[in-house]
């Protein structure tokens, strides 16, 4: 294109210009200047060595791609490695491994501009003072690096103390933060207390509220109105608000939503379940509604077609839907079929017992007690190995 424009300008400069070509000549310097400027920009973008120091640092030290480095560098102003190197050194001094450090930087590049002594050190010391290990702190900060931008005095500390008062243990706060690091980021008064008040108004005791926050903190990260509807639906289904089942049911509904419930119900109904059967399974084990549609279909097919079992048996024992088909159900079924085929047992045992037994108890009751134990064990192990 550059060659074509130059040739056009030179040709029309011979004295035979028209009005249009005269305008072209007037702008020839402008065109040439822009062509050279664009060429310099393309060359600069293609060669990261000609970029700013932050871009080069992010690429060479932290493993960023050129595009990511260009985007991340917009808020970084350091021109020498002293500042970012000091940040990395601070994290290493407190036991962070390289993988955690660079994961944190990639999620929050601005950490490289933090003052190690004034910003990072007080936060690290605070977390350590509460009993967090190196692994805990790395997990929480990598999960929510925005915590480094929150005020320690006005936000992080009050949030931690609020949770500690509710859970009656710093260790439980750490568990909650590991499950959802954003629980320390959100404003406790604005986001946490409304959920607590709602549950208390419905008669949920403090111990169950603490269990919810400690074990499933993401459930209170949803919209408050959605959470309120879930609580009301669970109460309508007859759950006792003082029970642990009530909290588990609320957790499942808050994550599943109405549309999720309907999708799972459609799958169960394909196997002859009624709405009442679905509710029975839900009451016995709410997590059975969290199983994927494909997993539900596969497990149902296994029990009905391979184990000669009524589909409604699983409504009464929904815990069976939670087990791995490849790692538990199929290997144990193969052992059972071997025992029946070789008349080593007279009748089929209770299937729920067969599959719920711990590994140790299963081997004791269905493998090691027979003379054919080596063959049974090989059959069982080979199938289990295939699932790994």
């Amino acid at each position: 294109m550059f060659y074509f424009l130059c040739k056009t300008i030179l040709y029309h400069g011979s004295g035979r210009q028209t009005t249009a070509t005269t305008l072209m000549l007037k702008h020839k310097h402008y065109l040439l200047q822009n062509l050279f400027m664009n060429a310099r920009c393309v060359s600069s973008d293609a060669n990261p060595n000609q970029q700013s120091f932050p871009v080069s640092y992010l690429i060479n030290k932290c493993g960023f791609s050129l595009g990511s480095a260009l985007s991340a560098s917009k808020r970084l102003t350091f021109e020498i490695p002293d500042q970012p190197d000091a940040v990395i050194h601070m994290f290493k001094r407190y036991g962070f491994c390289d993988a955690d450090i660079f994961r944190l930087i990639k999620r929050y590049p601005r950490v490289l501009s933090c003052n190690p002594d004034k910003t990072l050190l007080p936060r690290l010391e605070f977390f350590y003072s509460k009993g967090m290990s190196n692994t805990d702190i790395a997990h929480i900060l990598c999960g929510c690096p925005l915590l480094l931008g929150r005020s320690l005095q006005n936000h992080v500390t009050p949030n931690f103390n609020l949770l500690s008062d509710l859970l009656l243990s710093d260790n439980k706060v750490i568990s909650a933060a590991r499950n959802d690091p954003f629980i320390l980021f959100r404003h406790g008064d604005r986001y946490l207390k409304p959920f607590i008040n709602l549950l208390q108004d419905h008669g949920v005791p403090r111990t169950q509220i603490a269990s919810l926050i400690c074990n499933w903190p993401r459930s209170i990260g949803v919209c408050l109105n959605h959470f309120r509807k879930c609580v009301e639906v669970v109460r309508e289904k007859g759950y006792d608000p003082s029970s642990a089942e009530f909290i588990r049911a609320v957790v499942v509904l808050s994550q599943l939503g109405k549309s999720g419930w309907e999708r799972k119900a459609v799958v169960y109904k394909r196997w002859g379940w009624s709405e009442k059967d679905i509710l029975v399974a839900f009451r016995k084990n709410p997590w059975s509604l969290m199983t994927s549609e494909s997993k539900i279909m596969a497990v149902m097919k296994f029990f009905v077609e391979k184990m000669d079992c009524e589909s409604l048996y699983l409504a009464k024992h929904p815990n069976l839907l939670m087990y791995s088909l490849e790692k538990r159900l199929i290997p144990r079924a193969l052992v059972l079929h071997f025992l029946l085929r070789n008349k080593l047992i007279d009748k089929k045992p209770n299937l729920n017992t067969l599959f719920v037994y711990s590994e140790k108890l299963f081997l004791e009751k269905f493998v090691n007690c027979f003379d054919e134990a080596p063959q049974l064990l090989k059959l069982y192990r080979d199938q289990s190995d295939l699932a790994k």
Side-chain angles (χ1 to χ4, degrees):
M1 181 178 179
F2 176 76
Y3 171 80
F4 172 78
L5 287 173
C6 289
K7 184 175 179 181
T8 303
I9 292 169
L10 290 172
Y11 173 77
H12 288 296
S14 62
R16 294 179 293 174
Q17 301 95 334
T18 62
T19 303
T21 56
T22 300
L23 291 173
M24 177 68 80
L25 283 169
K26 287 182 179 180
H27 292 287
K28 67 181 181 179
H29 294 297
Y30 171 80
L31 292 169
L32 291 171
Q33 181 181 14
N34 274 276
L35 284 169
F36 285 122
M37 287 177 64
N38 289 336
R40 284 198 300 271
C41 289
V42 171
S43 175
S44 176
D45 286 343
N47 186 356
N49 292 326
Q50 297 180 12
Q51 298 294 342
S52 66
F53 181 80
V55 172
S56 298
Y57 189 93
L58 291 172
I59 293 173
N60 299 323
K61 183 80 172 183
C62 305
F64 277 56
S65 66
L66 174 58
S68 297
L70 286 169
S71 176
S73 67
K74 293 176 181 178
R75 296 186 178 182
L76 301 177
T77 57
F78 53 83
E79 295 298 333
I80 57 175
D82 294 11
Q83 166 72 24
D85 281 353
V87 169
I88 292 175
H89 177 72
M90 174 67 73
F91 284 121
K92 285 187 175 181
R93 201 174 82 190
Y94 277 80
F96 282 51
C97 67
D98 288 342
D100 287 330
I101 293 171
F102 295 125
R103 180 184 169 206
L104 176 57
I105 293 171
K106 285 190 174 183
R107 295 201 64 185
Y108 190 62
R110 291 176 63 184
V111 70
L112 292 174
S113 293
C114 289
N115 186 306
D117 295 320
K118 293 183 179 180
T119 302
L120 300 182
L121 181 61
R123 285 163 174 75
L124 293 172
E125 286 294 324
F126 171 77
F127 289 138
Y128 272 109
S129 72
K130 297 299 182 180
M132 290 190 188
S133 66
N134 295 341
T135 305
D136 291 332
I137 299 174
H139 178 86
I140 290 168
L141 289 182
C142 286
C144 182
L146 293 175
L147 275 171
L148 294 170
R150 288 292 202 197
S151 167
L152 179 62
Q153 181 179 357
N154 299 324
H155 186 91
V156 179
T157 301
N159 261 13
F160 194 100
N161 292 337
L162 173 65
L163 288 165
S164 185
D165 290 342
L166 177 67
L167 303 180
L168 303 177
S169 165
D170 286 351
N171 287 333
K172 289 185 177 180
V173 179
I174 296 170
S175 295
R178 282 190 61 86
N179 288 328
D180 181 16
F182 279 88
I183 198 167
L184 294 177
F185 176 79
R186 302 184 188 99
H187 289 280
D189 289 340
R190 193 182 308 167
Y191 290 102
L192 185 58
K193 285 187 176 179
F195 286 90
I196 295 173
N197 294 337
L198 171 64
L199 290 168
Q200 288 177 333
D201 290 344
H202 281 272
V204 180
R206 181 188 180 109
T207 54
Q208 295 302 331
I209 296 175
S211 175
L212 169 66
I213 295 172
C214 182
N215 297 305
W216 305 287
R218 293 182 187 275
S219 297
I220 57 173
V222 299
C223 169
L224 181 61
N225 286 334
H226 170 68
F227 189 83
R228 179 182 291 108
K229 290 178 182 177
C230 293
V231 171
E232 292 170 353
V233 167
V234 171
R235 288 210 65 171
E236 291 171 1
K237 293 183 185 301
Y239 281 83
D240 179 3
S242 65
S243 68
E245 288 77 14
F246 183 91
I247 287 296
R248 286 196 288 268
V250 169
V251 170
V252 170
L253 280 186
S254 68
Q255 296 181 26
L256 196 60
K258 182 179 179 181
S259 61
W261 175 284
E262 291 173 351
R263 287 196 307 272
K264 305 300 171 66
V266 167
V267 179
Y268 283 122
K269 287 178 180 178
R270 289 179 188 172
W271 293 94
W273 287 25
S274 65
E275 285 286 346
K276 183 178 179 180
D277 296 323
I278 296 172
L279 287 175
V280 168
F282 181 70
R283 285 185 62 84
K284 287 179 175 291
N285 189 338
W287 303 114
S288 61
L289 268 293
M290 293 295 288
T291 306
S292 69
E293 290 96 321
S294 59
K295 173 75 178 296
I296 294 170
M297 288 295 293
V299 174
M300 283 290 197
K301 185 175 181 179
F302 167 78
F303 275 98
V304 173
E305 297 182 4
K306 303 298 182 183
M307 302 302 296
D308 193 26
C309 179
E310 294 289 337
S311 67
L312 291 180
Y313 182 81
L314 276 79
K316 299 175 183 177
H317 304 283
N319 53 303
L320 294 174
L321 290 158
M322 313 303 297
Y323 293 125
S324 168
L325 196 61
E326 295 79 12
K327 294 181 180 180
R328 179 179 289 238
L329 299 181
I330 291 176
R332 295 191 180 192
L334 287 174
V335 170
L336 175 61
H337 287 159
F338 180 94
L339 295 174
L340 290 170
R341 185 172 61 250
N342 291 279
K343 302 185 184 309
L344 297 175
I345 57 175
D346 297 329
K347 60 180 182 179
K348 184 189 297 185
N350 182 291
L351 293 182
N352 188 52
T353 301
L354 174 75
F355 294 113
V356 170
Y357 271 155
S358 67
E359 180 80 353
K360 180 181 178 181
L361 199 54
F362 171 78
L363 293 175
E364 178 185 321
K365 296 286 187 181
F366 294 97
V367 176
N368 295 333
C369 59
F370 297 99
D371 294 337
E372 293 82 356
Q375 186 178 353
L376 279 169
L377 189 61
K378 185 178 186 307
L379 177 69
Y380 180 67
R381 294 293 186 211
D382 287 348
Q383 184 61 37
S384 298
D385 290 343
L386 289 175
K388 293 179 181 179

